[in-house]
Amino acid sequence: MTKIILSDIRWDYIFNPQLTLESIPFVLEGLSYTIAISLLSFILSLIGGTILALMRISRSRLLRILARFYVSFFRGVPVLVTLFFLYFGLPLANLMLTAVLLQSSP
């Protein structure tokens, strides 16, 4: 069994500090999009969850059944299947999602 000595490891293949410093502006540029998407997702899920909770405790039997079906369906379907459905199914319904293109300022 060979013994690995820390001085024998090529650390420049594992971690490149210069590349890390050069990448910081690109990471910070994407950070605003990440925060905006996170906040929007939080707000929409809070609204949707509140509506579903109100449907579950509603006196209307139809609303309770619809809420129970929705929750059971999305708890039972893996996220990857949902993503495949969105990625491959939406274009078949002529619904195209466009990507956000980032351009670096010179």
Side-chain angles (χ1 to χ4, degrees):
M1 185 170 175
T2 58
K3 192 173 188 179
I4 297 176
I5 301 173
L6 289 178
S7 62
D8 294 338
I9 297 175
R10 293 284 314 261
W11 291 105
D12 55 330
Y13 289 147
I14 298 172
F15 179 70
N16 185 345
Q18 182 64 32
L19 179 62
T20 303
L21 292 175
E22 292 171 3
S23 300
I24 288 176
F26 298 109
V27 172
L28 292 178
E29 187 177 347
L31 184 64
S32 63
Y33 284 106
T34 302
I35 292 172
I37 290 171
S38 297
L39 288 175
L40 181 66
S41 298
F42 173 74
I43 292 168
L44 291 177
S45 64
L46 186 64
I47 293 169
T50 303
I51 291 171
L52 279 172
L54 292 174
M55 288 172 66
R56 288 288 299 256
I57 63 173
S58 170
R59 292 184 184 193
S60 169
R61 185 168 185 226
L62 178 63
L63 290 177
R64 285 195 316 264
I65 290 172
L66 288 174
R68 186 179 306 145
F69 173 77
Y70 178 85
V71 170
S72 296
F73 178 78
F74 280 104
R75 285 179 81 185
V77 175
V79 175
L80 188 59
V81 172
T82 306
L83 291 174
F84 276 151
F85 173 74
L86 291 174
Y87 186 78
F88 294 112
L90 289 180
L92 293 176
N94 290 328
L95 296 172
M96 302 300 279
L97 299 176
T98 59
V100 176
L101 299 176
L102 297 176
Q103 293 181 353
S104 304
S105 301

